[in-house]
Amino acid sequence: MIIPLSIFGCFIENFLLEKNECAESSTIRPEYCYRYFSGIEIQDGELLMGDAEEIPEDTAGKALALIGRPSEEILQRNAVIYTVQKSERFFYEVQKAAGKLLELDSRVQEILLADNPFADLANAASAVFGNHVFIHDSGYILLAASSDPPGDEQWEYNEFQKCYVLSEDIISEFKCNQDYLDTMDTHEAAVFPADTFGYRILYRNLWENEQYKGRICVCELKRLLHPGDFWLIEWMENVVKLIRKHPISAEGQRFHPVISMLEYLLNEGTVSRKQMDQILVNTGWTSRDRYYLVSLFPEQPDDLIRSENYQRQRLAELSSQFCILTHNGRFLLLINETVNELSISDFRYHFASSLRDQLMKVGISCVGQDLLQIRQLYRQACIAYQFGSYQDSTFWVYNFDDYRIEYMISQAKGEFDAELICRPELFLLQEYDKDHTSELLNTLRVFLKWERSIARACEELAIHRTTLLYRIQRIEQLTHLNLDDEEIRLELILSYKFLEKEKFRY
C-alpha cells in the first residue's frame, strides 16, 4: 500500500497534527516506519520518526513524523507531519496507524480468494474506518456489511432472492429525495448528509463501463469522518472492482473463489502454486492441468455492456464446462482440457456457430499446462484475434496456433530491416534473377514449401523435373547453401515469411 503522508497522518489517533505542503504530495509505505538514530539512512517511501530537535539540519528529501515543531530548514526540505504535544506515545500511535493499514493491505490477497470476499473486505475495512461499512449493488441488494450494522429495519430479507434488500419504503423515499438523486452521478468519494438517517454517510459509487453497479458506504457513527477516510474508500473501490460478484448458476457456484483468484491474476496479482491448488481443490482441477483460454470480442460492444448479466447467462447455458471470467470489459472462457476432455477443435466444432449467432468473434490461446500462466494465455488469445481479424476478416474463430509464425516474425519486423535479418543468399538470388530473367528465388521458396518434394514443387511451378533439378543445382552453386541442413532450411523458410510481410515480390 502506498499512501500520501498527509493522509497517513489522519489515521494517527489521540494527537493533533500539523503538516507542511510537501506532506500532501509525498507518499510512504506503512510497513517502513523507523525511529531516528544517528547515522540512519532511509529510502524513498520510508518514514522516519523522531524528536524535531534531534533531526540534523541538513536532512533533505525525507518523510518525517516528529514530536515538536521542526525548524524552517527542515520544513522547507522535507515532507513533515508533526505534533507539538510532547509525548513518546506519539511514536506508538504512528506505528499503530501503520499496523492497521498494513494489516488491511496484507489481507487483500486472502480477501480476493475468499468464498465471500465482500464480507471479508467490509469487516477488514471497518477496523480502519472505525465505523460500520456496507456494500450494496445497483438493485439495493446488500452484498456485505461489517459485523455491527445499524438500523436492521432498513434491510428486509427476500426469501425468493435469498438475500437482504433495502426496504421498499426507503427506496421510495430516495426517489423523492433530491440530495440522494444528486449522489447518483458522482464518480468520487462524497458525503451524504445526515437528514435522512440521522448520521452522515461517506460513499463511493461503483462504476463499470460508465454503468452504475452499486455503492460502498461508511456510516459516521463511532468517530467523525476525516480526509483519510476519503482516500481509504477510494482504495476500497479498486479492491471491489476485482471481487465483484458474478451472477452464475448453482452448477457454477463452486467456481466463485476460482473466478476471484483468476481475475486477480489477470489484473497483475500474484498467487503461489500452493494457494492456487487449495482454491482449485473443490473443482477437481489442479494448476498443472491442460488449459486454454477463449476471449470473446463482440461485434457490438455497447450492447454487450448494457446486457452483461444476460450475456453471461447465455454463455453459461452453452456449457457448464466453462469457467466464465471478465477482463478489460470482455468475457473470457477458461476451459480445462484435461478434466472436460474438450479440445480446441472440439470447442470450435460444438460452440463456434453459437458464438457467431451472438455476434461474437473468438480468439483462442494455445494449450498450456500451468494455470499460473493465465495472463500469457490471455495475451495469446488477443494476439490470435488481432492477427486473425486482419488476415482472415471473414472468419469468426482465430487460433493462436494458426498465427504463431506471423507473431514471431512481427516481433522482429519492427526492429530490423529485411536485409539485416533475412538470409543474405535470398537477396543474391533476387539480383541474379533480375540480371538473367530467371526464377531461382521463387523456385527455392516453392521447393522448401513442399519440404523438397520434387513432384509437388514441379506441379506448382508447372515445370519439368529436369528443369527443377537444374535450378536447385544452380541455386546451390550460387549460394553455397547446404539444403540438407535442417537449421538452414528453417532460416530460409522464416526469411521468406518475413519477406512476405514486407510485400516482397518474387
Side-chain angles (χ1 to χ4, degrees):
M1 177 183 288
I2 300 175
I3 183 171
L5 178 59
S6 61
I7 295 300
F8 173 73
C10 297
F11 294 99
I12 299 174
E13 300 175 352
N14 303 316
F15 284 86
L16 294 175
L17 294 181
E18 298 187 47
K19 60 190 177 186
N20 66 352
E21 187 174 337
C22 291
E24 300 287 350
S25 56
S26 178
T27 58
I28 65 164
R29 293 181 178 273
E31 60 264 42
Y32 300 121
C33 296
Y34 303 110
R35 183 74 167 83
Y36 172 80
F37 60 84
S38 180
I40 186 173
E41 292 289 337
I42 65 170
Q43 307 300 318
D44 291 344
E46 299 177 345
L47 179 65
L48 186 62
M49 304 179 293
D51 292 319
E53 298 173 353
E54 64 184 359
I55 303 298
E57 287 295 307
D58 61 353
T59 300
K62 306 300 182 185
L64 307 174
L66 305 177
I67 295 176
R69 180 176 174 80
S71 67
E72 289 301 319
E73 183 80 6
I74 293 293
L75 287 172
Q76 289 176 8
R77 301 172 65 182
N78 300 276
V80 186
I81 56 174
Y82 65 93
T83 178
V84 296
Q85 299 169 252
K86 296 285 187 177
S87 172
E88 287 283 323
R89 184 174 175 80
F90 174 68
F91 302 133
Y92 165 78
E93 294 292 349
V94 172
Q95 292 177 320
K96 179 181 172 183
K100 282 186 177 181
L101 292 168
L102 182 58
E103 169 68 16
L104 179 60
D105 190 49
S106 65
R107 288 194 58 193
V108 168
Q109 181 167 302
E110 176 186 336
I111 288 168
L112 290 171
L113 303 180
D115 288 338
N116 192 350
F118 281 152
D120 286 5
L121 177 63
N123 281 314
S126 179
V128 182
F129 281 114
N131 278 308
H132 172 62
V133 177
F134 65 92
I135 307 169
H136 67 75
D137 70 6
S138 57
Y140 298 103
I141 293 175
L142 184 65
L143 300 179
S146 54
S147 55
D148 54 348
D152 288 342
E153 69 281 354
Q154 298 169 7
W155 301 94
E156 299 174 345
Y157 189 74
N158 186 300
E159 288 288 347
F160 177 73
Q161 293 180 289
K162 305 298 183 184
C163 59
Y164 283 92
V165 183
L166 198 63
S167 72
E168 288 293 335
D169 290 342
I170 294 179
I171 293 175
S172 297
E173 186 176 341
F174 282 166
K175 292 178 180 178
C176 303
N177 186 322
Q178 189 58 48
D179 287 333
Y180 184 83
L181 295 176
D182 290 342
T183 70
M184 297 302 294
D185 293 324
T186 60
H187 284 69
E188 57 188 18
V191 174
F192 187 65
D195 300 346
T196 301
F197 296 109
Y199 50 84
R200 297 195 305 165
I201 298 176
L202 172 66
Y203 69 94
R204 175 58 162 92
N205 289 336
L206 304 173
W207 299 92
E208 184 177 333
N209 299 313
E210 295 304 314
Q211 300 293 307
Y212 174 75
K213 295 294 183 179
R215 179 171 291 186
I216 307 170
C217 298
V218 180
C219 304
E220 189 183 50
L221 292 170
K222 295 183 178 180
R223 70 159 171 82
L224 297 177
L225 298 169
H226 59 60
D229 295 329
F230 287 73
W231 178 88
L232 187 57
I233 202 171
E234 294 285 356
W235 177 89
M236 273 189 74
E237 187 261 347
N238 288 324
V239 178
V240 167
K241 280 182 178 178
L242 296 176
I243 60 174
R244 63 192 183 280
K245 254 188 175 57
H246 295 297
I248 61 177
S249 65
E251 174 69 20
Q253 192 72 24
R254 61 198 173 107
F255 283 110
H256 265 169
V258 177
I259 289 170
S260 295
M261 172 185 65
L262 295 177
E263 291 190 351
Y264 175 61
L265 282 172
L266 287 166
N267 284 284
E268 306 300 325
T270 56
V271 174
S272 70
R273 188 173 303 282
K274 181 179 179 180
Q275 289 172 318
M276 174 174 280
D277 284 329
Q278 287 174 340
I279 295 298
L280 291 172
V281 68
N282 290 330
T283 68
W285 293 7
T286 74
S287 60
R288 291 295 193 181
D289 289 341
R290 291 170 58 82
Y291 295 93
Y292 58 93
L293 194 71
V294 178
S295 184
L296 307 182
F297 297 84
E299 293 293 278
Q300 298 175 338
D302 290 340
D303 289 342
L304 178 65
I305 292 168
R306 287 196 293 269
S307 58
E308 178 181 329
N309 292 356
Y310 169 71
Q311 291 289 356
R312 181 183 294 280
Q313 186 60 38
R314 290 190 69 184
L315 291 173
E317 289 170 356
L318 287 178
S319 175
S320 61
Q321 297 175 320
F322 302 156
C323 179
I324 305 173
L325 313 171
T326 55
H327 182 63
N328 288 343
R330 64 176 64 101
F331 286 115
L332 313 177
L333 308 179
L334 178 68
I335 298 167
N336 185 321
E337 186 183 69
T338 303
V339 173
N340 297 328
E341 298 181 350
L342 185 73
S343 67
I344 291 177
S345 59
D346 291 337
F347 174 86
R348 295 185 64 147
Y349 178 79
H350 292 290
F351 302 110
S353 60
S354 297
L355 293 171
R356 182 184 61 197
D357 292 343
Q358 296 184 41
L359 298 181
M360 290 187 185
K361 289 197 171 186
V362 178
I364 306 177
S365 74
C366 70
V367 176
Q369 289 189 278
D370 188 349
L371 193 51
L372 288 172
Q373 296 175 330
I374 189 170
R375 279 200 298 272
Q376 296 179 54
L377 296 179
Y378 170 71
R379 176 72 180 129
Q380 284 188 342
C382 293
I383 289 169
Y385 172 77
Q386 175 188 344
F387 279 81
S389 59
Y390 175 75
Q391 296 183 26
D392 305 297
S393 59
T394 58
F395 294 178
W396 286 83
V397 181
Y398 309 109
N399 287 19
F400 180 79
D401 288 339
D402 295 334
Y403 303 98
R404 190 190 307 272
I405 295 297
E406 284 82 353
Y407 172 70
M408 294 169 65
I409 291 171
S410 73
Q411 298 306 291
K413 185 172 180 290
E415 188 171 357
F416 298 106
D417 291 336
E419 293 82 359
L420 297 178
I421 198 169
C422 294
R423 291 284 308 200
E425 293 86 353
L426 299 187
F427 299 103
L428 185 154
L429 293 176
Q430 180 191 33
E431 291 301 316
Y432 184 88
D433 285 344
K434 287 181 180 178
D435 294 340
H436 298 82
T437 61
S438 56
E439 296 183 21
L440 298 185
L441 183 62
N442 189 46
T443 297
L444 179 59
R445 180 186 69 83
V446 175
F447 187 58
L448 293 172
K449 170 186 173 182
W450 292 113
E451 299 180 350
R452 299 186 294 169
S453 168
I454 294 175
R456 290 191 173 186
C458 287
E459 182 179 355
E460 179 168 331
L461 292 169
I463 59 176
H464 192 272
R465 174 188 177 90
T466 304
T467 304
L468 176 62
L469 292 175
Y470 169 77
R471 289 183 183 179
I472 296 300
Q473 183 182 31
R474 187 65 181 137
I475 288 169
E476 290 176 335
Q477 290 172 346
L478 289 170
T479 63
H480 304 290
L481 287 170
N482 178 11
L483 297 181
D484 291 328
D485 188 314
E486 181 182 5
E487 287 194 7
I488 289 178
R489 293 201 307 274
L490 176 61
E491 288 181 16
L492 288 168
I493 291 170
L494 290 175
S495 295
Y496 275 112
K497 291 284 187 182
F498 191 98
L499 292 174
E500 287 173 5
K501 297 298 178 186
E502 295 284 305
K503 308 300 183 184
F504 193 85
R505 291 188 177 182
Y506 301 116

